[in-house]
PDB file of all heavy atoms in Angstrom:
ATOM      1  N   LYS A 171      22.878 -34.959  27.017  1.00  0.00           N
ATOM      2  CA  LYS A 171      22.783 -36.342  26.516  1.00  0.00           C
ATOM      3  C   LYS A 171      21.943 -36.420  25.248  1.00  0.00           C
ATOM      4  O   LYS A 171      22.051 -37.432  24.433  1.00  0.00           O
ATOM      5  CB  LYS A 171      22.176 -37.223  27.531  1.00  0.00           C
ATOM      6  CG  LYS A 171      20.709 -36.914  27.906  1.00  0.00           C
ATOM      7  CD  LYS A 171      20.213 -37.828  28.932  1.00  0.00           C
ATOM      8  CE  LYS A 171      18.807 -37.501  29.369  1.00  0.00           C
ATOM      9  NZ  LYS A 171      17.895 -37.670  28.256  1.00  0.00           N
ATOM     10  N   ASP A 172      21.130 -35.403  24.916  1.00  0.00           N
ATOM     11  CA  ASP A 172      20.305 -35.422  23.743  1.00  0.00           C
ATOM     12  C   ASP A 172      20.712 -34.606  22.584  1.00  0.00           C
ATOM     13  O   ASP A 172      20.057 -34.545  21.548  1.00  0.00           O
ATOM     14  CB  ASP A 172      18.883 -34.944  24.175  1.00  0.00           C
ATOM     15  CG  ASP A 172      18.152 -35.893  25.180  1.00  0.00           C
ATOM     16  OD1 ASP A 172      18.407 -37.083  25.082  1.00  0.00           O
ATOM     17  OD2 ASP A 172      17.416 -35.424  26.062  1.00  0.00           O
ATOM     18  N   VAL A 173      21.859 -33.901  22.705  1.00  0.00           N
ATOM     19  CA  VAL A 173      22.267 -32.929  21.654  1.00  0.00           C
ATOM     20  C   VAL A 173      22.486 -33.699  20.314  1.00  0.00           C
ATOM     21  O   VAL A 173      21.995 -33.224  19.264  1.00  0.00           O
ATOM     22  CB  VAL A 173      23.516 -32.170  22.105  1.00  0.00           C
ATOM     23  CG1 VAL A 173      24.098 -31.423  20.890  1.00  0.00           C
ATOM     24  CG2 VAL A 173      23.211 -31.187  23.157  1.00  0.00           C
ATOM     25  N   VAL A 174      23.176 -34.826  20.353  1.00  0.00           N
ATOM     26  CA  VAL A 174      23.436 -35.516  19.095  1.00  0.00           C
ATOM     27  C   VAL A 174      22.163 -35.916  18.498  1.00  0.00           C
ATOM     28  O   VAL A 174      22.018 -35.857  17.199  1.00  0.00           O
ATOM     29  CB  VAL A 174      24.405 -36.705  19.350  1.00  0.00           C
ATOM     30  CG1 VAL A 174      24.532 -37.603  18.118  1.00  0.00           C
ATOM     31  CG2 VAL A 174      25.782 -36.224  19.683  1.00  0.00           C
ATOM     32  N   ARG A 175      21.252 -36.440  19.329  1.00  0.00           N
ATOM     33  CA  ARG A 175      19.998 -36.880  18.730  1.00  0.00           C
ATOM     34  C   ARG A 175      19.164 -35.679  18.166  1.00  0.00           C
ATOM     35  O   ARG A 175      18.539 -35.821  17.139  1.00  0.00           O
ATOM     36  CB  ARG A 175      19.151 -37.638  19.816  1.00  0.00           C
ATOM     37  CG  ARG A 175      17.843 -38.223  19.387  1.00  0.00           C
ATOM     38  CD  ARG A 175      18.102 -39.272  18.254  1.00  0.00           C
ATOM     39  NE  ARG A 175      16.876 -39.801  17.753  1.00  0.00           N
ATOM     40  CZ  ARG A 175      16.698 -40.366  16.498  1.00  0.00           C
ATOM     41  NH1 ARG A 175      17.733 -40.358  15.693  1.00  0.00           N
ATOM     42  NH2 ARG A 175      15.591 -40.826  16.088  1.00  0.00           N
ATOM     43  N   ALA A 176      19.245 -34.552  18.851  1.00  0.00           N
ATOM     44  CA  ALA A 176      18.593 -33.433  18.385  1.00  0.00           C
ATOM     45  C   ALA A 176      19.076 -32.962  16.952  1.00  0.00           C
ATOM     46  O   ALA A 176      18.263 -32.610  16.045  1.00  0.00           O
ATOM     47  CB  ALA A 176      18.634 -32.234  19.310  1.00  0.00           C
ATOM     48  N   VAL A 177      20.399 -33.102  16.781  1.00  0.00           N
ATOM     49  CA  VAL A 177      20.989 -32.760  15.489  1.00  0.00           C
ATOM     50  C   VAL A 177      20.468 -33.729  14.435  1.00  0.00           C
ATOM     51  O   VAL A 177      20.109 -33.418  13.343  1.00  0.00           O
ATOM     52  CB  VAL A 177      22.517 -32.767  15.571  1.00  0.00           C
ATOM     53  CG1 VAL A 177      23.125 -32.627  14.186  1.00  0.00           C
ATOM     54  CG2 VAL A 177      23.018 -31.665  16.481  1.00  0.00           C
ATOM     55  N   GLN A 178      20.438 -35.060  14.821  1.00  0.00           N
ATOM     56  CA  GLN A 178      20.022 -36.100  13.857  1.00  0.00           C
ATOM     57  C   GLN A 178      18.547 -35.879  13.476  1.00  0.00           C
ATOM     58  O   GLN A 178      18.223 -35.952  12.284  1.00  0.00           O
ATOM     59  CB  GLN A 178      20.193 -37.434  14.478  1.00  0.00           C
ATOM     60  CG  GLN A 178      21.637 -37.827  14.728  1.00  0.00           C
ATOM     61  CD  GLN A 178      21.827 -39.156  15.552  1.00  0.00           C
ATOM     62  OE1 GLN A 178      20.907 -39.486  16.346  1.00  0.00           O
ATOM     63  NE2 GLN A 178      22.846 -39.862  15.268  1.00  0.00           N
ATOM     64  N   VAL A 179      17.722 -35.555  14.472  1.00  0.00           N
ATOM     65  CA  VAL A 179      16.271 -35.383  14.209  1.00  0.00           C
ATOM     66  C   VAL A 179      16.043 -34.247  13.271  1.00  0.00           C
ATOM     67  O   VAL A 179      15.320 -34.285  12.301  1.00  0.00           O
ATOM     68  CB  VAL A 179      15.490 -35.261  15.486  1.00  0.00           C
ATOM     69  CG1 VAL A 179      14.013 -34.834  15.227  1.00  0.00           C
ATOM     70  CG2 VAL A 179      15.503 -36.609  16.224  1.00  0.00           C
ATOM     71  N   THR A 180      16.608 -33.123  13.605  1.00  0.00           N
ATOM     72  CA  THR A 180      16.362 -31.920  12.823  1.00  0.00           C
ATOM     73  C   THR A 180      17.004 -31.858  11.474  1.00  0.00           C
ATOM     74  O   THR A 180      16.469 -31.242  10.548  1.00  0.00           O
ATOM     75  CB  THR A 180      16.693 -30.599  13.642  1.00  0.00           C
ATOM     76  OG1 THR A 180      18.097 -30.647  14.025  1.00  0.00           O
ATOM     77  CG2 THR A 180      15.905 -30.482  14.875  1.00  0.00           C
ATOM     78  N   SER A 181      18.090 -32.634  11.337  1.00  0.00           N
ATOM     79  CA  SER A 181      18.753 -32.800  10.056  1.00  0.00           C
ATOM     80  C   SER A 181      17.838 -33.340   8.933  1.00  0.00           C
ATOM     81  O   SER A 181      17.988 -33.200   7.791  1.00  0.00           O
ATOM     82  CB  SER A 181      20.017 -33.578  10.147  1.00  0.00           C
ATOM     83  OG  SER A 181      20.998 -32.927  10.950  1.00  0.00           O
ATOM     84  N   ARG A 182      16.826 -34.095   9.464  1.00  0.00           N
ATOM     85  CA  ARG A 182      15.912 -34.749   8.567  1.00  0.00           C
ATOM     86  C   ARG A 182      14.876 -33.694   7.932  1.00  0.00           C
ATOM     87  O   ARG A 182      14.052 -34.169   7.079  1.00  0.00           O
ATOM     88  CB  ARG A 182      15.159 -35.860   9.215  1.00  0.00           C
ATOM     89  CG  ARG A 182      16.016 -36.950   9.863  1.00  0.00           C
ATOM     90  CD  ARG A 182      15.272 -38.256  10.053  1.00  0.00           C
ATOM     91  NE  ARG A 182      13.975 -38.031  10.761  1.00  0.00           N
ATOM     92  CZ  ARG A 182      13.862 -38.398  12.090  1.00  0.00           C
ATOM     93  NH1 ARG A 182      14.847 -38.839  12.763  1.00  0.00           N
ATOM     94  NH2 ARG A 182      12.665 -38.167  12.617  1.00  0.00           N
ATOM     95  N   PHE A 183      14.969 -32.435   8.329  1.00  0.00           N
ATOM     96  CA  PHE A 183      13.949 -31.457   7.858  1.00  0.00           C
ATOM     97  C   PHE A 183      14.688 -30.283   7.224  1.00  0.00           C
ATOM     98  O   PHE A 183      14.601 -29.173   7.689  1.00  0.00           O
ATOM     99  CB  PHE A 183      13.140 -31.027   9.048  1.00  0.00           C
ATOM    100  CG  PHE A 183      12.268 -32.042   9.633  1.00  0.00           C
ATOM    101  CD1 PHE A 183      12.721 -32.885  10.620  1.00  0.00           C
ATOM    102  CD2 PHE A 183      10.940 -32.173   9.176  1.00  0.00           C
ATOM    103  CE1 PHE A 183      11.882 -33.870  11.207  1.00  0.00           C
ATOM    104  CE2 PHE A 183      10.122 -33.148   9.735  1.00  0.00           C
ATOM    105  CZ  PHE A 183      10.537 -33.979  10.717  1.00  0.00           C
ATOM    106  N   PRO A 184      15.395 -30.576   6.142  1.00  0.00           N
ATOM    107  CA  PRO A 184      16.193 -29.451   5.538  1.00  0.00           C
ATOM    108  C   PRO A 184      15.333 -28.302   4.954  1.00  0.00           C
ATOM    109  O   PRO A 184      15.894 -27.173   4.843  1.00  0.00           O
ATOM    110  CB  PRO A 184      16.987 -30.157   4.367  1.00  0.00           C
ATOM    111  CG  PRO A 184      16.090 -31.372   4.062  1.00  0.00           C
ATOM    112  CD  PRO A 184      15.621 -31.829   5.401  1.00  0.00           C
ATOM    113  N   SER A 185      14.047 -28.570   4.635  1.00  0.00           N
ATOM    114  CA  SER A 185      13.215 -27.507   4.136  1.00  0.00           C
ATOM    115  C   SER A 185      12.603 -26.604   5.194  1.00  0.00           C
ATOM    116  O   SER A 185      11.967 -25.630   4.900  1.00  0.00           O
ATOM    117  CB  SER A 185      12.053 -28.162   3.307  1.00  0.00           C
ATOM    118  OG  SER A 185      12.493 -28.751   2.184  1.00  0.00           O
ATOM    119  N   VAL A 186      12.869 -26.917   6.482  1.00  0.00           N
ATOM    120  CA  VAL A 186      12.411 -26.081   7.548  1.00  0.00           C
ATOM    121  C   VAL A 186      13.566 -25.803   8.509  1.00  0.00           C
ATOM    122  O   VAL A 186      13.457 -26.003   9.717  1.00  0.00           O
ATOM    123  CB  VAL A 186      11.191 -26.707   8.344  1.00  0.00           C
ATOM    124  CG1 VAL A 186       9.953 -26.632   7.403  1.00  0.00           C
ATOM    125  CG2 VAL A 186      11.452 -28.153   8.670  1.00  0.00           C
ATOM    126  N   HIS A 187      14.721 -25.361   7.934  1.00  0.00           N
ATOM    127  CA  HIS A 187      15.908 -24.969   8.630  1.00  0.00           C
ATOM    128  C   HIS A 187      16.930 -26.088   8.960  1.00  0.00           C
ATOM    129  O   HIS A 187      18.114 -25.810   9.129  1.00  0.00           O
ATOM    130  CB  HIS A 187      15.646 -24.163   9.945  1.00  0.00           C
ATOM    131  CG  HIS A 187      14.749 -22.967   9.757  1.00  0.00           C
ATOM    132  ND1 HIS A 187      15.055 -22.010   8.790  1.00  0.00           N
ATOM    133  CD2 HIS A 187      13.618 -22.589  10.314  1.00  0.00           C
ATOM    134  CE1 HIS A 187      14.170 -21.112   8.823  1.00  0.00           C
ATOM    135  NE2 HIS A 187      13.261 -21.465   9.650  1.00  0.00           N
ATOM    136  N   GLY A 188      16.445 -27.393   9.033  1.00  0.00           N
ATOM    137  CA  GLY A 188      17.356 -28.412   9.236  1.00  0.00           C
ATOM    138  C   GLY A 188      18.192 -28.463  10.475  1.00  0.00           C
ATOM    139  O   GLY A 188      17.692 -28.109  11.533  1.00  0.00           O
ATOM    140  N   ALA A 189      19.451 -28.904  10.383  1.00  0.00           N
ATOM    141  CA  ALA A 189      20.343 -28.991  11.520  1.00  0.00           C
ATOM    142  C   ALA A 189      20.635 -27.694  12.080  1.00  0.00           C
ATOM    143  O   ALA A 189      20.543 -26.642  11.454  1.00  0.00           O
ATOM    144  CB  ALA A 189      21.580 -29.726  11.125  1.00  0.00           C
ATOM    145  N   PRO A 190      21.128 -27.643  13.362  1.00  0.00           N
ATOM    146  CA  PRO A 190      21.530 -26.369  13.980  1.00  0.00           C
ATOM    147  C   PRO A 190      22.689 -25.707  13.247  1.00  0.00           C
ATOM    148  O   PRO A 190      23.481 -26.355  12.574  1.00  0.00           O
ATOM    149  CB  PRO A 190      21.947 -26.789  15.406  1.00  0.00           C
ATOM    150  CG  PRO A 190      21.377 -28.143  15.673  1.00  0.00           C
ATOM    151  CD  PRO A 190      21.290 -28.829  14.301  1.00  0.00           C
ATOM    152  N   VAL A 191      22.777 -24.349  13.379  1.00  0.00           N
ATOM    153  CA  VAL A 191      23.915 -23.705  12.844  1.00  0.00           C
ATOM    154  C   VAL A 191      25.013 -23.479  13.886  1.00  0.00           C
ATOM    155  O   VAL A 191      26.165 -23.073  13.550  1.00  0.00           O
ATOM    156  CB  VAL A 191      23.501 -22.280  12.240  1.00  0.00           C
ATOM    157  CG1 VAL A 191      22.563 -22.502  11.036  1.00  0.00           C
ATOM    158  CG2 VAL A 191      22.814 -21.373  13.211  1.00  0.00           C
ATOM    159  N   HIS A 192      24.646 -23.624  15.191  1.00  0.00           N
ATOM    160  CA  HIS A 192      25.633 -23.489  16.249  1.00  0.00           C
ATOM    161  C   HIS A 192      25.162 -24.212  17.517  1.00  0.00           C
ATOM    162  O   HIS A 192      23.946 -24.241  17.755  1.00  0.00           O
ATOM    163  CB  HIS A 192      25.815 -21.959  16.523  1.00  0.00           C
ATOM    164  CG  HIS A 192      26.873 -21.693  17.553  1.00  0.00           C
ATOM    165  ND1 HIS A 192      28.242 -21.879  17.285  1.00  0.00           N
ATOM    166  CD2 HIS A 192      26.834 -21.264  18.848  1.00  0.00           C
ATOM    167  CE1 HIS A 192      28.911 -21.537  18.334  1.00  0.00           C
ATOM    168  NE2 HIS A 192      28.148 -21.169  19.283  1.00  0.00           N
ATOM    169  N   ILE A 193      26.182 -24.772  18.216  1.00  0.00           N
ATOM    170  CA  ILE A 193      25.874 -25.440  19.508  1.00  0.00           C
ATOM    171  C   ILE A 193      26.786 -24.900  20.544  1.00  0.00           C
ATOM    172  O   ILE A 193      27.997 -24.824  20.331  1.00  0.00           O
ATOM    173  CB  ILE A 193      26.054 -26.953  19.343  1.00  0.00           C
ATOM    174  CG1 ILE A 193      25.118 -27.566  18.309  1.00  0.00           C
ATOM    175  CG2 ILE A 193      25.945 -27.684  20.692  1.00  0.00           C
ATOM    176  CD1 ILE A 193      25.404 -28.989  17.911  1.00  0.00           C
ATOM    177  N   GLY A 194      26.256 -24.497  21.702  1.00  0.00           N
ATOM    178  CA  GLY A 194      27.112 -24.035  22.781  1.00  0.00           C
ATOM    179  C   GLY A 194      27.318 -22.536  22.832  1.00  0.00           C
ATOM    180  O   GLY A 194      26.402 -21.776  22.646  1.00  0.00           O
ATOM    181  N   ASN A 195      28.556 -22.119  23.172  1.00  0.00           N
ATOM    182  CA  ASN A 195      28.909 -20.784  23.427  1.00  0.00           C
ATOM    183  C   ASN A 195      28.204 -19.657  22.562  1.00  0.00           C
ATOM    184  O   ASN A 195      28.551 -19.518  21.392  1.00  0.00           O
ATOM    185  CB  ASN A 195      30.405 -20.642  23.307  1.00  0.00           C
ATOM    186  CG  ASN A 195      30.882 -19.188  23.679  1.00  0.00           C
ATOM    187  OD1 ASN A 195      30.122 -18.394  24.200  1.00  0.00           O
ATOM    188  ND2 ASN A 195      32.064 -18.880  23.263  1.00  0.00           N
ATOM    189  N   PRO A 196      27.211 -18.959  23.146  1.00  0.00           N
ATOM    190  CA  PRO A 196      26.513 -17.978  22.302  1.00  0.00           C
ATOM    191  C   PRO A 196      27.352 -16.783  21.890  1.00  0.00           C
ATOM    192  O   PRO A 196      27.081 -16.206  20.862  1.00  0.00           O
ATOM    193  CB  PRO A 196      25.356 -17.532  23.258  1.00  0.00           C
ATOM    194  CG  PRO A 196      25.852 -17.824  24.622  1.00  0.00           C
ATOM    195  CD  PRO A 196      26.739 -19.047  24.541  1.00  0.00           C
ATOM    196  N   GLU A 197      28.393 -16.464  22.665  1.00  0.00           N
ATOM    197  CA  GLU A 197      29.225 -15.362  22.370  1.00  0.00           C
ATOM    198  C   GLU A 197      29.896 -15.518  21.018  1.00  0.00           C
ATOM    199  O   GLU A 197      30.233 -14.507  20.350  1.00  0.00           O
ATOM    200  CB  GLU A 197      30.200 -15.005  23.494  1.00  0.00           C
ATOM    201  CG  GLU A 197      29.499 -14.572  24.765  1.00  0.00           C
ATOM    202  CD  GLU A 197      30.456 -14.123  25.862  1.00  0.00           C
ATOM    203  OE1 GLU A 197      31.716 -14.278  25.549  1.00  0.00           O
ATOM    204  OE2 GLU A 197      30.039 -13.739  26.877  1.00  0.00           O
TER     205      GLU A 197
END
Side-chain angles (χ1 to χ4, degrees):
K171 65 181 179 60
D172 293 327
V173 168
V174 170
R175 185 60 182 153
V177 173
Q178 293 171 332
V179 169
T180 57
S181 294
R182 302 200 310 254
F183 294 87
S185 295
V186 289
H187 304 307
V191 296
H192 185 69
I193 298 170
N195 180 15
E197 293 182 0

